Amino acid sequence: QVQLVESGGGLVQAGGSLRLFCAASGRTFSSIAMGWFRQAPGKAREFVAAIRWSGMNTYAANSVKGRFTISRDGAKNTVYLQMNNLKPEDTAVYYCAAATTYFRDMNTYTLKETYGYWGQGTQVTVSS
């Protein structure tokens, strides 16, 4: 089992920044990749960014490229999502997820079904 706890969400004005944290505990050594997803009211959960736990590969959705950066600290078992130049359309609940299967193609980590563990989510609200 892997437990994930997100934090760092909040209310920010458009153009501002936030840094999300995902603290992992439990069988963290079984995690191969970590991902961030988001879900706005009335919409499906969508992929934001992913990173291999080794840190060698990252992947981000086109909608956040150049604005969001995913990173991880292996010693702290923590994954980060640095969000800059936030827009009102970034408003959503942000979820951290852990995948325990290796896939060579990073595209596979854009799929919700790839992840077996999820956090409870943290709310991000961007005002215009």
Side-chain angles (χ1 to χ4, degrees), residues 10-16 18 86-91 124-128:
L11 173 64
V12 64
Q13 289 188 329
L18 279 176
L86 282 159
K87 304 176 181 180
E89 52 264 41
D90 294 319
T91 295
V124 171
T125 303
V126 185
S127 63
S128 58

Side-chain angles (χ1 to χ4, degrees), residues 95-113:
Y95 297 90
C96 174
T100 57
T101 302
Y102 176 85
F103 294 97
R104 183 176 182 179
D105 186 356
M106 282 296 290
N107 274 301
T108 308
Y109 294 113
T110 68
L111 305 175
K112 299 185 297 292
E113 295 73 18

Side-chain angles (χ1 to χ4, degrees), residues 17-117:
S17 298
L18 279 176
R19 194 183 198 195
L20 302 185
F21 302 79
C22 174
S25 61
R27 296 173 59 90
T28 57
F29 58 86
S30 64
S31 297
I32 301 298
M34 303 292 291
W36 285 98
F37 287 74
R38 66 187 181 186
Q39 188 166 16
K43 295 188 177 181
R45 191 169 299 190
E46 65 174 5
F47 170 75
V48 176
I51 185 169
R52 294 196 196 278
W53 198 242
S54 65
M56 295 297 291
N57 302 95
T58 62
Y59 196 85
N62 288 333
S63 58
V64 305
K65 277 182 181 177
R67 301 189 298 122
F68 292 11
T69 302
I70 187 171
S71 62
R72 97 284 179 266
D73 185 330
K76 296 181 178 180
N77 287 330
T78 300
V79 177
Y80 308 95
L81 185 67
Q82 178 66 44
M83 307 186 295
N84 298 327
N85 190 20
L86 282 159
K87 304 176 181 180
E89 52 264 41
D90 294 319
T91 295
V93 176
Y94 283 71
Y95 297 90
C96 174
T100 57
T101 302
Y102 176 85
F103 294 97
R104 183 176 182 179
D105 186 356
M106 282 296 290
N107 274 301
T108 308
Y109 294 113
T110 68
L111 305 175
K112 299 185 297 292
E113 295 73 18
T114 302
Y115 297 86
Y117 300 97

